[in-house]
Amino acid sequence: MSIIEFRGLTKAYKDVVAVNNLTAKAEAGRITGFLGPNGAGKSTTLKCLLSLATPNSGSALIHGVPYQALVNPMRQVGAVIESGGYNPSLSAIRNLEIIAAAAGIPDARAVEVLKLVELLDVAPKKVKEFSLGMKQRLSLATALLGDPEILVLDEPSNGLDPIGIAWLRTFLKNLAHDGRSILISSHQLAEMQNTVDDVLIIHKGKLITEGSMPDVIGIGTLEEAFIRLVEAS
Amino acid sequence: MRNLLKSEFRKVIYTKSFYGYLVGAIFLALLASFPAAYSIHALKSQLDGASLMDPQLVAGVYGKAISGYLFTMILGIALIGNEYQSGQIVSTFLATPQRLKVLCAKLVVAACAGIFIMVISTLIGFGGAYLGLSHYPHAKAGLSIFLNLLLAAVISGAVISIMGVAIGALIRNVKVAQVGAIIWLFVVEKLIVVFWSTGGKFLPSGLIVGMLNVHIDLKSSESFLNISTTNYFGVGASIALMLAYAAAFAFIGSWITLRRDVD
């Protein structure tokens, strides 16, 4: 059963078409890698999915409805978006309390998710004093506030050091093991090969392939398959 | 809506700049009100009729206590502009994707915070004017001056902070929006209100004078120094026009927020 579906999604900014008639889906209970080179349209697609940007045509649906139409959306979908989502002048705990209040989630949950991402020790610290890795963990904590069944993660490993990447890999696998469905965008192919079950690859806003990891890579690595598919598109 | 209001209130009270705006408004109110009596006393030889025996001029001195409204505009701009600039708006819209609801909560909270700032700063400014006027025993303040001042503080605090939210939604660069607002409210509007009262009476500054119900008519040998507020709107009409400003700016803010993609 597909939990996320793009139907003919098109999004243009002035003359630039960022996403072009994208039709694809992500299945329940699986980790789906949303891959593509820089500027392929991954972030724009995810913003349309989360109702942060309005498509020119087509639709992006979660459980068959737009994000905007979900009841208690943070309890159904948790998201990490590149632009952060927090006030850098406030502490981690204050930022989470603000979001929790808006979503009707008890403040105690903010402490729980900070513990989960191993940031409890620095909870009173201002976010602007955080390293990139700590900010990424805080974003993950934000996404988990509502204990959602679906996670949409836009480049969560960007700027992470090898230890951070290893931590993220284990963390995501544990989340998937709990039965969550995860859509994760990235251009770090080696890492994705170790993490995801299914793959969607887009280039210049268009879908070039989708399927399970073994079907897409065939013989060789994800990187080799990716380069072959992008060059052929 | 209750959850959203709680979240928006937290954004205000958790942020240090809110207390900075309050202190700024108090400082401005005192700076304008305390020395006003001395200024009028000093100007009585230049301006015909400038005497603290005139109850309207005494009301004018107390009216200076409302000068902190600039900071409610800056607060309104920061409330939404900083969210767009820092990316915090992403989590706001993820928690509540119905943007109109988000904007309504922001407008309510901005109005409440603006009223809080204005009431506190105006009361302290009133105290400053009282101290300044204490050297002129014949200059007395009546209850109506105090009530008009309080009413004007409440209405201007709410309306101008709502205008700030709309401007913050419209102009992406917070600093540019805030500096622009300072220049407009502190320089452009003041000049228009003083030198072209026919047009100035329609502007927020002119409407605040109208709400204060102060009618001053001072003539100087230099005509450009003449000060007259006699043709300003009355209290009722000024309030109605201020509320119309709030409605128009709230509409503009909503329209922009609904249409705008998050970068």
Side-chain angles (χ1 to χ4, degrees):
Chain A
M1 191 184 78
S2 58
I3 41 143
I4 291 173
E5 201 174 349
F6 305 102
R7 291 183 192 161
L9 184 76
T10 299
K11 175 67 182 174
Y13 294 101
K14 292 180 182 166
D15 297 334
V16 180
V17 180
V19 185
N20 192 353
N21 196 25
L22 177 71
T23 297
K25 55 193 174 186
E27 301 296 326
R30 297 179 72 82
I31 305 181
T32 304
F34 189 37
L35 313 178
N38 283 337
K42 303 187 294 292
S43 294
T44 304
T45 304
L46 296 185
K47 281 178 184 168
C48 290
L49 178 67
L50 298 167
S51 296
L52 296 171
T54 310
N56 295 82
S57 62
S59 54
L61 308 171
I62 298 169
H63 284 315
V65 295
Y67 185 85
Q68 250 174 332
L70 291 173
V71 181
N72 292 328
M74 282 193 89
R75 290 187 184 276
Q76 298 188 56
V77 183
V80 171
I81 290 292
E82 268 185 312
S83 42
Y86 29 71
N87 181 341
S89 304
L90 296 180
S91 66
I93 189 77
R94 290 292 201 212
N95 269 290
L96 290 177
E97 282 171 0
I98 286 170
I99 302 161
I105 296 164
D107 287 349
R109 177 67 183 160
V111 176
E112 282 175 29
V113 290
L114 281 175
K115 196 174 174 186
L116 209 61
V117 299
E118 298 167 23
L119 283 180
L120 196 54
D121 293 349
V122 290
K125 203 172 170 181
K126 284 182 181 173
V127 173
K128 64 182 170 193
E129 293 163 14
F130 276 19
S131 67
L132 193 54
M134 289 160 85
K135 285 179 184 169
Q136 293 285 41
R137 287 181 193 212
L138 180 60
S139 296
L140 280 168
T142 309
L144 293 169
L145 258 181
D147 197 14
E149 54 167 322
I150 301 167
L151 286 168
V152 177
L153 312 175
D154 188 14
E155 307 275 7
S157 57
N158 253 6
L160 292 184
D161 59 22
I163 294 171
I165 289 174
W167 176 87
L168 182 67
R169 187 194 310 134
T170 311
F171 189 75
L172 291 179
K173 283 189 169 165
N174 287 340
L175 291 174
H177 189 255
D178 293 344
R180 288 183 170 88
S181 310
I182 303 173
L183 178 65
I184 177 170
S185 91
S186 182
H187 54 260
Q188 298 194 358
L189 302 174
E191 187 52 38
M192 285 295 101
Q193 188 168 352
N194 293 326
T195 313
V196 306
D197 305 313
D198 298 327
V199 179
L200 300 175
I201 301 179
I202 66 166
H203 182 43
K204 294 179 181 170
K206 288 184 174 174
L207 182 76
I208 54 176
T209 193
E210 69 176 317
S212 69
M213 179 67 81
D215 288 348
V216 169
I217 62 175
I219 301 163
T221 64
L222 177 60
E223 188 177 272
E224 287 163 358
F226 178 83
I227 291 168
R228 191 176 62 241
L229 288 162
V230 166
E231 283 177 353
S233 69
Chain B
M1 195 64 179
R2 253 174 63 184
N3 291 338
L4 254 180
L5 287 172
K6 186 178 170 187
S7 174
E8 292 300 325
F9 267 113
R10 283 181 170 183
K11 283 176 193 168
V12 172
I13 62 170
Y14 286 173
T15 315
K16 278 185 190 160
S17 52
F18 169 68
Y19 304 99
Y21 300 145
L22 177 62
V23 171
I26 291 170
F27 178 73
L28 262 189
L30 280 174
L31 193 70
S33 62
F34 180 69
Y38 300 102
S39 310
I40 289 174
H41 190 68
L43 281 170
K44 69 180 179 185
S45 58
Q46 276 87 39
L47 290 168
D48 188 22
S51 162
L52 288 170
M53 296 291 280
D54 179 358
Q56 286 296 320
L57 268 181
V58 172
V61 172
Y62 280 110
K64 294 288 178 193
I66 206 164
S67 300
Y69 61 84
L70 167 76
F71 283 94
T72 62
M73 172 77 85
I74 292 176
L75 166 83
I77 292 170
L79 256 180
I80 192 159
N82 280 343
E83 275 209 49
Y84 274 107
Q85 205 151 294
S86 68
Q88 192 185 14
I89 198 78
V90 168
S91 47
T92 303
F93 286 155
L94 287 177
T96 314
Q98 295 81 14
R99 296 187 183 189
L100 204 53
K101 266 190 181 177
V102 172
L103 196 80
C104 284
K106 275 198 189 300
L107 292 174
V108 169
V109 170
C112 292
I115 290 170
F116 177 78
I117 286 178
M118 282 310 292
V119 168
I120 300 287
S121 67
T122 302
L123 287 175
I124 293 173
F126 187 88
Y130 184 83
L131 274 179
L133 284 166
S134 61
H135 295 93
Y136 308 93
H138 49 277
K140 300 285 182 207
L143 182 65
S144 66
I145 291 177
F146 180 76
L147 291 179
N148 273 341
L149 198 59
L150 212 55
L151 178 73
V154 170
I155 302 284
S156 63
V159 172
I160 295 177
S161 53
I162 285 172
M163 290 168 70
V165 171
I167 292 168
L170 182 67
I171 302 172
R172 289 177 182 230
N173 188 313
V174 179
K175 293 284 172 256
V176 168
Q178 289 181 330
V179 170
I182 292 170
I183 292 171
W184 175 262
L185 285 178
F186 245 42
V187 182
V188 181
E189 265 201 31
K190 296 282 183 204
L191 290 173
I192 295 172
V193 167
V194 171
F195 295 114
W196 187 49
S197 61
T198 319
K201 68 180 177 183
F202 290 97
L203 297 173
S205 302
L207 295 171
I208 288 172
V209 174
M211 285 191 289
L212 292 172
N213 208 18
V214 175
H215 301 291
I216 296 169
D217 194 14
L218 297 174
K219 299 275 187 274
S220 165
S221 52
E222 301 291 341
S223 60
F224 72 92
L225 282 177
N226 291 351
I227 299 170
S228 176
T229 62
T230 50
N231 68 340
Y232 278 71
F233 291 110
V235 177
S238 297
I239 291 172
L241 278 170
M242 282 294 271
L243 294 178
Y245 266 109
F249 274 81
F251 175 78
I252 293 168
S254 313
W255 188 73
I256 295 161
T257 306
L258 287 175
R259 287 173 55 90
R260 188 171 168 179
D261 287 338
V262 176
D263 297 327

